[in-house]
Amino acid sequence: MNISNDQIIDFIYAEARMLDEQRFEEWLALWLDDGYYWMPLDYQQTDPLLVTSLMYEDYFMLRLRVQRLTGARTFSQKPKSRCNHVIQRPFVDEINDNNIKTVTSMHYVETRMDDQFLLALTATHELRVVDDKIRIANKRVDLLNSDAAFGSIQLLP
Amino acid sequence: MQSNTPNASHIAALFKGDQVHRDVYTSDAVYRLEMRHLFVNAWVFVGHDSQTPNKGDYYTTHIGDQPVIQVRHSDGEIKVLHNRCPHKGTKIAIDREGNTGKFFRCPYHAWSFKTDGCLLAIPLKKGYVDTPLKNTENVKGIKPVGAVHVHRGFVFARLADDGIGFDEFFGDSLSSIDNMADRSPAGRLEVAGPPLRYMHQCNWKMLVENQTDTCHPMVAHESSAGTAISIWEEMGSPEPRPAAMQIIAPFMSPYEFFEEMGIRTWPNGHGHTGVNHSIHSDYSAIPGYFEAMTKSYGEERAKEILDENRHNTVYFPNIMVKGPIQQLRNFIPMGPNKTLVESYIYRLVDAPDELLARTAMYNRMINAPTSIVGHDDLEMYERAQEGLMSDGLEWVSIQRLMTDKEDYSAEAIENGTTERQMRNQFDAWVKFMTVSMDATA
């Protein structure tokens, strides 16, 4: 199947919309089950394993993260947080057979009660076409200020 | 605080033995006294010597609210200097780490200093001939802290020129740091990357107390640990367990587990959970590690080192170390209701990388600003910080498993759910707050 640039770009937009609308089950279904969501701690970090990251989460952790958000005793989500992604048009950097790489600049706003914060970030998606569907093989989120001291970041930038 | 000029008797009155007054968490006056007394008189963690391995390497941090530089001097020794030019006060080092070569040079007027702080040169020095500069402290250079001691690579400093010695202050509590370092076949640790930095809108002491609070994990962390277990069971309880199950699920252990875990307290506010076992006891073995340990120490000693599974060791006033995880958390006070938590991890020199990978995983899963475990802890601290503003009740309870005559000057081992370590910390808090204060009202 030939995937067009527009289909890829639409996919990135649709993923951000799922997160903002908290359609997490749909979002989880986008992932291949051996994928990792990586949010480095250090600027231009190359190693996810032997130094600390903010997140380096497999499918089990992502599922746990998402399921926890709706739990009866999830105290840090009473009341719940909300988020909003404003995204620039993704660059489609690679299309090789079924493997696709995109790089997207985003501004991410998260809010809860009276507090709100803004993160600028670059999201790098490794996508794979499986059974004619685009899936997330890996996702890397580089916060512009990844080495800054943050309060709680509770949803998914 | 009722008085604008609090003294030793005012401070001592804030701790009744079984209760502590909310002002210790909320009062700006008490916070300022902590910075001028407690954090000056106590031995406070600065950094690890592997953060400054070469001559001229420096790293900047804070002791209480005091900006300081840890630097490797030309003689190879670690120095800790106040991060302030003696001329106009400009911070000498702004970046978090770097190498300054043989000397520091202030970027404002180019006064320069050796890496032990001694003044090296002032441009156009003739302008100071026959001036009073030579009679003042400004001419001496960058002021070093009162005393520095390096133990197994961990750098501690006392701001005060005089006071309690390092060995007397820490005593047998150093056994936790020793065990952490002994877990390396080479007996050495090296810092692994930058720390997580998590800002908390609460008092620093809430974080320190929580380190030995064993009655909260199964309650506050049900949303993460309990959900992890239910997802794993839905999956048919697969073995080997997913990584998150090893790290997070033990937080759901029952009260009995934490009771039997035990708590040990030492004089001067130090103490640890996990005397008999801990949530770190059941991690899977890493191939090749025990063999490397046996080669270095012999089988008997290697077993002895690895059988120690201390959970959290609090080094009063404001750090916690996890020996089995090689993690150190620094609770840096930034105001009565603001604390920066820096969580460092260390590599066991000559041990397999898988151990460091697990350590890094623990750090991000539990202590990152993005951690689903950390979120619920922070929620509790910040709710407490807000709740303590209530005038409905001014005293906080630290009475759990308190006995008639507790002697904090002696080591003790108690039931793992006691709040004795919190009482021990406040006993030390009064001691090191008031030792440099006027005794009279």
Side-chain angles (χ1 to χ4, degrees):
Chain A
M1 177 190 171
N2 282 325
I3 294 280
S4 70
N5 263 29
D6 274 355
Q7 283 174 296
I8 295 165
I9 290 167
D10 286 349
F11 177 88
I12 300 295
Y13 275 91
E15 188 220 351
R17 186 175 177 185
M18 283 177 200
L19 291 172
D20 290 350
E21 295 178 354
Q22 311 218 2
R23 292 186 279 131
F24 292 121
E25 292 302 322
E26 271 179 80
W27 180 76
L28 278 176
L30 300 178
W31 282 80
L32 294 174
D33 59 12
D34 58 352
Y36 276 86
Y37 183 120
W38 184 19
M39 188 188 290
L41 172 63
D42 209 7
Y43 180 65
Q44 295 182 338
Q45 185 173 330
T46 54
D47 181 356
L49 293 176
L50 299 183
V51 293
T52 306
S53 297
L54 289 161
M55 291 171 62
Y56 185 65
E57 301 198 343
D58 59 12
Y59 189 78
F60 183 92
M61 266 304 285
L62 291 175
R63 192 175 158 191
L64 167 56
R65 178 177 286 279
V66 162
Q67 194 160 323
R68 172 185 169 276
L69 290 172
T70 55
R73 289 178 176 163
T74 303
F75 305 113
S76 78
Q77 282 296 295
K78 292 186 176 297
K80 288 188 187 303
S81 302
R82 295 189 288 267
C83 72
N84 180 258
H85 292 77
V86 177
I87 83 176
Q88 196 176 52
R89 187 175 189 273
F91 294 103
V92 179
D93 280 1
E94 288 174 30
I95 308 183
N96 296 316
D97 299 326
N98 288 328
N99 297 308
I100 300 158
K101 187 178 154 192
T102 67
V103 175
T104 313
S105 292
M106 305 189 189
H107 283 184
Y108 171 81
V109 177
E110 187 176 305
T111 185
R112 181 171 174 250
M113 294 198 279
D114 291 333
D115 293 325
Q116 178 168 292
F117 60 87
L118 169 69
L119 298 170
L121 62 95
T122 302
T124 304
H125 285 79
E126 290 172 30
L127 306 173
R128 196 167 303 146
V129 182
V130 180
D131 297 336
D132 293 343
K133 285 201 173 87
I134 302 175
R135 307 285 295 277
I136 302 174
N138 287 296
K139 179 177 179 180
R140 171 176 171 145
V141 173
D142 285 279
L143 303 183
L144 185 63
N145 60 341
S146 62
D147 54 353
F150 299 109
S152 290
I153 302 171
Q154 297 210 51
L155 300 180
L156 287 155
Chain B
M1 297 299 301
Q2 299 301 312
S3 166
N4 289 327
T5 54
N7 56 41
S9 60
H10 289 125
I11 290 299
L14 295 173
F15 173 48
K16 286 205 257 188
D18 64 328
Q19 289 176 306
V20 63
H21 194 273
R22 58 100 182 260
D23 279 359
V24 307
Y25 305 104
T26 60
S27 157
D28 191 54
V30 172
Y31 174 78
R32 279 184 277 117
L33 288 167
E34 287 179 333
M35 296 305 110
R36 296 290 80 75
H37 294 275
L38 173 62
F39 279 84
V40 172
N41 297 322
W43 284 87
V44 179
F45 172 74
V46 180
H48 192 265
D49 70 355
S50 63
Q51 291 172 265
T52 52
N54 304 307
K55 289 173 185 176
D57 283 350
Y58 67 86
Y59 141 80
T60 60
T61 183
H62 285 82
I63 298 176
D65 64 354
Q66 298 295 291
V68 296
I69 310 170
Q70 171 186 312
V71 59
R72 180 84 61 173
H73 186 47
S74 51
D75 63 1
E77 295 287 307
I78 298 278
K79 305 290 180 186
V80 180
L81 310 173
H82 287 270
N83 193 356
R84 179 221 197 268
C85 181
H87 180 206
K88 299 290 191 195
T90 311
K91 264 182 155 179
I92 293 293
I94 290 297
D95 41 2
R96 294 194 186 124
E97 57 189 14
N99 183 290
T100 193
K102 288 195 166 67
F103 60 91
F104 286 111
R105 180 177 184 272
C106 180
Y108 198 178
H109 301 97
W111 286 30
S112 59
F113 313 90
K114 294 182 196 169
T115 46
D116 61 358
C118 290
L119 182 68
L120 201 59
I122 297 175
L124 209 62
K125 200 170 184 184
K126 64 186 178 194
Y128 289 106
V129 172
D130 297 330
T131 73
L133 175 72
K134 60 180 177 299
N135 306 322
T136 61
E137 277 211 86
N138 306 73
V139 79
K140 290 181 184 165
I142 309 173
K143 194 177 164 85
V145 299
V148 177
H149 190 96
V150 184
H151 182 85
R152 302 296 294 265
F154 292 89
V155 180
F156 291 86
R158 190 188 64 216
L159 290 174
D161 288 337
D162 301 306
I164 189 168
F166 178 87
D167 290 332
E168 187 190 344
F169 183 75
F170 286 117
D172 291 337
S173 73
L174 293 171
S175 54
S176 287
I177 285 179
D178 290 342
N179 179 258
M180 180 157 72
D182 286 344
R183 286 168 173 268
S184 149
R188 279 192 299 119
L189 299 168
E190 283 177 359
V191 72
L196 287 165
R197 305 177 72 243
Y198 194 174
M199 195 65 82
H200 287 51
Q201 305 299 327
C202 70
N203 188 270
W204 64 275
K205 294 186 291 300
M206 289 182 186
L207 280 137
V208 181
E209 285 160 41
N210 190 59
Q211 303 312 307
T212 61
D213 182 318
T214 53
C215 287
H216 87 279
M218 68 298 284
V219 181
H221 301 307
E222 183 183 333
S223 74
S224 47
T227 307
I229 293 167
S230 68
I231 293 175
W232 177 67
E233 286 172 352
E234 272 170 42
M235 292 165 66
S237 309
E239 297 283 354
R241 297 171 180 219
M245 278 297 293
Q246 273 198 45
I247 300 286
I248 298 178
F251 285 68
M252 276 313 275
S253 303
Y255 286 114
E256 297 73 37
F257 176 90
F258 288 99
E259 287 193 302
E260 288 160 15
M261 183 162 123
I263 284 183
R264 178 187 277 121
T265 72
W266 292 286
N268 296 323
H270 318 299
H272 80 94
T273 46
V275 179
N276 306 311
H277 59 253
S278 77
I279 60 168
H280 306 312
S281 297
D282 291 331
Y283 292 163
S284 57
I286 302 287
Y289 176 49
F290 186 69
E291 291 74 7
M293 288 291 284
T294 301
K295 202 173 164 197
S296 292
Y297 295 103
E299 190 174 331
E300 195 182 342
R301 176 68 185 137
K303 273 189 179 154
E304 191 179 49
I305 292 165
L306 298 176
D307 280 350
E308 195 70 65
N309 271 299
R310 296 183 186 188
H311 171 223
N312 293 343
T313 300
V314 168
Y315 287 101
F316 184 79
N318 68 324
I319 63 164
M320 182 277 284
V321 306
K322 274 186 187 294
I325 295 286
Q326 299 90 52
Q327 183 201 42
L328 183 150
R329 303 183 70 208
N330 192 6
F331 310 110
I332 303 173
M334 302 191 79
N337 52 11
K338 191 173 178 185
T339 305
L340 172 60
V341 184
E342 293 192 335
S343 299
Y344 284 93
I345 57 168
Y346 303 94
R347 185 171 76 87
L348 296 168
V349 176
D350 291 346
D353 278 349
E354 288 91 332
L355 281 147
L356 180 54
R358 181 157 64 199
T359 292
M361 179 163 61
Y362 188 95
N363 210 26
R364 67 176 180 261
M365 275 188 188
I366 309 298
N367 297 126
T370 37
S371 160
I372 58 175
V373 177
H375 291 160
D376 284 318
D377 280 323
L378 177 59
E379 181 71 13
M380 297 308 128
Y381 306 141
E382 293 186 348
R383 284 192 194 191
Q385 194 71 35
E386 292 177 20
L388 286 171
M389 297 315 291
S390 162
D391 292 335
L393 185 57
E394 294 188 20
W395 294 88
V396 173
S397 162
I398 46 173
Q399 293 149 332
R400 190 176 171 76
L401 290 175
M402 186 169 178
T403 55
D404 277 351
K405 284 180 184 155
E406 289 188 333
D407 176 8
Y408 304 116
S409 68
E411 181 178 323
I413 295 175
E414 305 273 355
N415 178 303
T417 59
T418 183
E419 289 174 342
R420 180 186 166 115
Q421 171 56 15
M422 302 175 199
R423 297 186 288 273
N424 186 39
Q425 283 160 204
F426 277 107
D427 179 73
W429 184 84
V430 171
K431 177 177 172 181
F432 292 101
M433 280 287 271
T434 58
V435 66
S436 50
M437 283 182 187
D438 289 338
T440 53

